[in-house]
Amino acid sequence: MSGESSNGSRHECVTLCDYPQKTRTALKQILVILPAYNEEISIGSMVHLTRSYADKVIVVDDGSLDRTADVARKAGAEVIVHEVNLGKGRALKTGFETALTWVLT
């Protein structure tokens, strides 16, 4: 499907059914990493909302003192727990390392 925009430039619209069946089954998967520290109140809704856009959600509980890990697990996330708070950077690095193992399997 193609057309012309208001400024005269041509553009093409491509829909999923324009691609062969083989290509459609090879779509990329989306993984989201959520670092969290004492987010018991909001992590459940964040995981739930994120799961509507992503194939997998990883929550890195960075030494929380509340029930962040339990709530995230119940909402459907894979949860990794740091026993002590190591900071957002380390939580993200842990998430990336976990994501890498998921991609390679």
Side-chain angles (χ1 to χ4, degrees):
M1 185 183 270
S2 64
E4 201 166 303
S5 66
S6 60
N7 65 4
S9 65
R10 293 194 48 79
H11 65 276
E12 288 192 25
C13 297
V14 180
T15 63
L16 188 58
C17 42
D18 293 336
Y19 290 100
Q21 180 67 28
K22 190 174 188 179
T23 305
R24 278 192 277 167
T25 58
L27 294 174
K28 294 180 182 178
Q29 293 188 338
I30 298 172
L31 179 138
V32 174
I33 301 165
L34 298 174
Y37 178 71
N38 292 338
E39 294 294 338
E40 173 183 6
I41 293 172
S42 60
I43 196 68
S45 59
M46 287 298 298
V47 169
H48 182 71
L49 180 62
T50 303
R51 288 186 68 216
S52 64
Y53 296 98
D55 299 299
K56 184 171 186 125
V57 178
I58 297 173
V59 171
V60 182
D61 178 0
D62 193 29
S64 295
L65 303 174
D66 61 4
R67 297 180 36 233
T68 297
D70 294 334
V71 173
R73 238 180 243 108
K74 287 178 184 173
E78 177 180 326
V79 179
I80 301 162
V81 177
H82 289 169
E83 292 302 318
V84 295
N85 183 276
L86 301 174
K88 187 192 288 186
R90 183 61 190 136
L92 285 170
K93 186 173 181 182
T94 299
F96 291 135
E97 290 167 353
T98 303
L100 187 59
T101 61
W102 181 66
V103 170
L104 295 176
T105 57

